[in-house]
Amino acid sequence: MRVCRMGGCRVMLALVLVITVILLCLHGNHFLDRGLQKDMQPRIGKHVAVWSITRQSEPEKSLPDDHADLKFLRKYGRISGLPTEQELQNMTKKELTYIYHSHLDNTDYACHRKIRMGTAADGGWDVCDDYEFRPIKPCVVYSFGINFDFSFDDDMGKLYGCNVFSFDPTMKMADHERSPKVRFFKVGLGGAGGALSADIDTRKVLATGGSIKSMTDIKTMLGHTNTTIDIMKIDIEYSEWSALPDMLDKGELTNVRQLLMEFHTYAIDTDAIYRKRLLIFAKLEALGYRRYHTHTNPWGYKLLMEYPVMRTTAYEVYFVNTKFMRQ
């Protein structure tokens, strides 16, 4: 065997190093991507994904010339880790307003693929298609609030093959089977005993012959008492505030994988109303619901007395139930 001279060995070693660096540059991104993908896989303890946000507020790192309202928002406008009922009692109207809008403006869960079901305009909704939460046949969808737009319901039946149950008491339309996958009921969602929010004119809602039922009564009517609801979409013009407390008290949101809701508020809502609504959000959070998408309805933009910029009075908010995810 020939032994290379010292100078020749150094040249060969240098060439090997250069070739190694080039290969790493060419393939480094591939190895990095695989490593990141591995690190980004949700590490599930009992039920909670690691990317859920847990901090209550941003640390104080504001610039000296930041506006006072921005500093206040960062300090008090919690995104997650919502206050307890006792803490809410001690908060000012301004603090409550900032928490309400911060919570609905932001997300705390990463859904990697969202698919718009229904029209791209108002009436369509974005479903989380990640394996842990996507509807898989035989899937069940509840859709409350149609207003003559069945595009979401039709797409859920056609593309996912789900059995879709559509509800609206205000349309001049009798109960019927719209398609083999979509059934319509002239029924609205309310609280216990079919109660609506105090600011809803029940007579107007029922003028077309519809009826109002609680979620428990609706599930009993359909034989769904122990059925998993893959998607529950609720857009019922303020009546969510009477329906949600009853649903939470009776455990009707435990077996729901995705909750798609429009939350409505008034620009003149009181601090007592904000406390009640933030308590509802805190209960949803405790159940494992996390926001993967939020959309502000531009038709509801208002200037609020306590808030420095225009906010909407109608938020579309999309939740996944991390305690009911598919393993």
Side-chain angles (χ1 to χ4, degrees):
M1 178 181 295
R2 292 179 60 187
V3 179
C4 66
R5 296 179 180 177
M6 185 62 69
C9 288
R10 288 176 180 172
V11 171
M12 290 179 63
L13 181 60
L15 287 173
V16 170
L17 287 174
V18 169
I19 293 171
T20 303
V21 170
I22 292 172
L23 288 174
L24 286 174
C25 289
L26 289 174
H27 299 285
N29 287 338
H30 172 70
F31 295 134
L32 179 60
D33 288 345
R34 291 191 62 181
L36 284 175
Q37 289 170 8
K38 182 179 180 181
D39 288 342
M40 284 299 291
Q41 293 301 315
R43 297 182 180 89
I44 306 302
K46 186 172 181 182
H47 293 296
V48 182
V50 292
W51 49 61
S52 295
I53 296 173
T54 55
R55 66 177 183 270
Q56 294 182 351
S57 61
E58 292 287 343
E60 285 293 332
K61 294 182 180 178
S62 302
L63 297 174
D65 58 347
D66 271 0
H67 193 284
D69 282 315
L70 286 178
K71 293 181 179 179
F72 190 92
L73 177 62
R74 295 186 187 114
K75 184 173 182 180
Y76 295 104
R78 295 192 191 182
I79 295 171
S80 60
L82 292 175
T84 64
E85 186 171 5
Q86 182 59 47
E87 289 174 324
L88 289 171
Q89 292 301 323
N90 299 322
M91 289 186 172
T92 65
K93 172 74 177 296
K94 185 174 181 179
E95 290 172 340
L96 296 167
T97 306
Y98 275 53
I99 294 174
Y100 179 89
H101 290 282
S102 292
H103 188 72
L104 295 184
D105 261 333
N106 292 282
T107 61
D108 58 355
Y109 194 90
C111 175
H112 296 92
R113 182 186 297 277
K114 298 185 289 289
I115 301 180
R116 184 79 169 179
M117 293 286 111
T119 176
D122 194 30
W125 294 77
D126 299 309
V127 170
C128 181
D129 192 59
D130 290 356
Y131 170 76
E132 294 85 356
F133 303 105
R134 75 171 60 133
I136 296 176
K137 292 190 293 186
C139 42
V140 174
V141 174
Y142 279 10
S143 178
F144 294 96
I146 308 302
N147 194 26
F148 298 99
D149 184 351
F150 285 93
S151 60
F152 169 79
D153 309 58
D154 291 342
D155 280 355
M156 290 303 304
K158 178 177 66 176
L159 299 178
Y160 280 104
C162 294
N163 294 308
V164 183
F165 301 86
S166 310
F167 306 89
D168 196 316
T170 64
M171 294 159 54
K172 294 181 178 179
M173 187 179 292
D175 294 0
H176 68 279
E177 187 174 284
R178 178 176 171 83
S179 72
K181 290 292 183 182
V182 182
R183 294 176 61 190
F184 172 78
F185 297 88
K186 197 177 180 64
V187 174
L189 176 64
L196 294 176
S197 295
D199 49 10
I200 299 295
D201 187 344
T202 307
R203 293 169 300 176
K204 183 177 179 180
V205 170
L206 303 180
T208 60
S211 62
I212 307 294
K213 296 181 183 294
S214 69
M215 180 63 72
T216 302
D217 290 339
I218 289 171
K219 292 177 77 174
T220 301
M221 174 184 77
L222 297 175
H224 290 169
T225 304
N226 298 312
T227 300
T228 295
I229 310 299
D230 292 86
I231 306 281
M232 184 180 287
K233 184 218 85 179
I234 302 176
D235 182 4
I236 53 177
E237 306 302 324
Y238 295 93
S239 285
E240 66 271 15
W241 301 121
S242 59
L244 279 171
D246 181 62
M247 292 163 66
L248 287 165
D249 288 345
K250 294 178 180 175
E252 297 293 5
L253 289 173
T254 328
N255 293 346
V256 177
R257 279 205 172 86
Q258 295 189 47
L259 178 63
L260 320 180
M261 291 207 59
E262 184 161 74
F263 293 104
H264 303 83
T265 189
Y266 288 118
I268 57 172
D269 280 342
T270 64
D271 52 350
I273 290 175
Y274 275 117
R275 287 190 183 95
K276 289 179 181 178
R277 294 176 180 177
L278 286 171
L279 186 58
I280 289 173
F281 297 159
K283 288 180 177 179
L284 286 171
E285 187 177 65
L287 279 178
Y289 282 93
R290 299 292 182 266
R291 289 151 289 131
Y292 67 88
H293 183 52
T294 180
H295 169 70
T296 57
N297 189 328
W299 296 105
Y301 284 165
K302 299 287 183 182
L303 185 60
L304 307 179
M305 186 179 298
E306 295 83 8
Y307 213 87
V309 290
M310 296 268 299
R311 291 294 85 198
T312 185
T313 57
Y315 287 90
E316 287 180 10
V317 184
Y318 300 72
F319 299 86
V320 289
N321 186 347
T322 56
K323 291 187 179 180
F324 201 58
M325 63 198 306
R326 187 179 293 106
Q327 301 299 320

